Amino acid sequence: MTLHHADHDADRPADEVDRLVAAWRQERPDLDVEPLQVLSRVSRLARHLDRARRASFAEHDLENWEFDVLTALRRAGEPYELSPGALLRATLVTSGTMTNRIDRLAAAGLVRRRPDPEDRRGVLVSLTDAGRIRVDNAFADLLRRERELLASLGKHEQQALSGLLRTLLVPFDATDTGAH
């Protein structure tokens, strides 16, 4: 099967998506398979990113969900603490799931709970020093791996791609209603 110039940039080697699109165009010329050009590549890239994330987190003895909770606390700034409700909003999980996650992270010594001084019924969850060190190291490692994934793009290409992806994602972010 030959790839036509319109199927891929002549200056770049064909990838698996080019082959997939060419095959579909041959088998189903009645369908517009153009969305595959973008979304199949996004899907394939997401799998590579997922592998990089899992490898980075495993190297630092963290699960994806642990990283999500710890980074939400870390991004909050000193004293690196949030209410369970704020953690729910940051990680898009249910209340019961978050309670379980906080329990497990506290048992591992990565977070601690303390009474909320402004709400006698509430608690605040904060990073321990061990949690901060673990998440900082995992995040630095993740960024290194992400830079490797993007190494074939220059800075301006990365910025252009970021802008295009943002345009695609904004409508979904605006309609996201909570826990998945």
Side-chain angles (χ1 to χ4, degrees):
M1 148 185 18
T2 31
L3 297 176
H4 304 282
H5 179 71
D7 292 337
H8 74 281
D9 187 338
D11 295 337
R12 299 176 195 253
D15 67 0
E16 190 59 33
V17 174
D18 290 321
R19 290 183 278 280
L20 178 136
V21 167
W24 277 119
R25 283 185 175 145
Q26 182 174 332
E27 292 301 314
R28 292 295 311 267
D30 57 311
L31 294 178
D32 175 11
V33 295
E34 197 61 26
L36 295 175
Q37 294 279 12
V38 173
L39 299 177
S40 289
R41 286 186 174 93
V42 168
S43 177
R44 293 174 67 81
L45 185 58
R47 285 193 296 264
H48 289 288
L49 177 58
D50 187 53
R51 286 184 195 133
R53 289 175 63 90
R54 283 195 317 258
S56 179
F57 302 157
E59 190 170 306
H60 297 278
D61 198 26
L62 290 172
E63 299 287 334
N64 281 358
W65 67 265
E66 291 171 313
F67 183 81
D68 288 346
V69 174
L70 296 175
T71 55
L73 290 166
R74 184 64 170 99
R75 287 190 312 267
E78 285 193 62
Y80 312 118
E81 71 183 6
L82 293 169
S83 69
L87 283 170
L88 286 175
R89 289 184 295 280
T91 60
L92 300 176
V93 298
T94 65
S95 176
T97 298
M98 182 53 66
T99 298
N100 180 276
R101 290 179 175 185
I102 293 168
D103 289 345
R104 291 172 65 183
L105 288 167
L110 301 175
V111 302
R112 70 176 150 269
R113 286 185 178 97
R114 71 175 184 90
D116 185 340
E118 297 178 20
D119 178 358
R120 289 187 303 172
R121 296 169 300 163
V123 297
L124 294 172
V125 180
S126 59
L127 279 177
T128 62
D129 287 341
R132 185 187 49 76
I133 290 166
R134 178 103 49 101
V135 75
D136 281 354
N137 290 336
F139 185 54
D141 184 52
L142 175 61
L143 289 173
R144 178 187 58 79
R145 292 169 193 262
E146 289 181 350
R147 277 191 292 279
E148 290 171 5
L149 286 173
L150 295 169
S152 63
L153 297 178
K155 181 179 180 179
H156 295 296
E157 290 172 311
Q158 288 181 34
Q159 290 170 341
L161 179 58
S162 175
L164 292 169
L165 292 171
R166 180 183 302 108
T167 299
L168 283 175
L169 285 173
V170 163
F172 295 101
D173 289 348
T175 60
D176 194 348
T177 58
H180 303 160

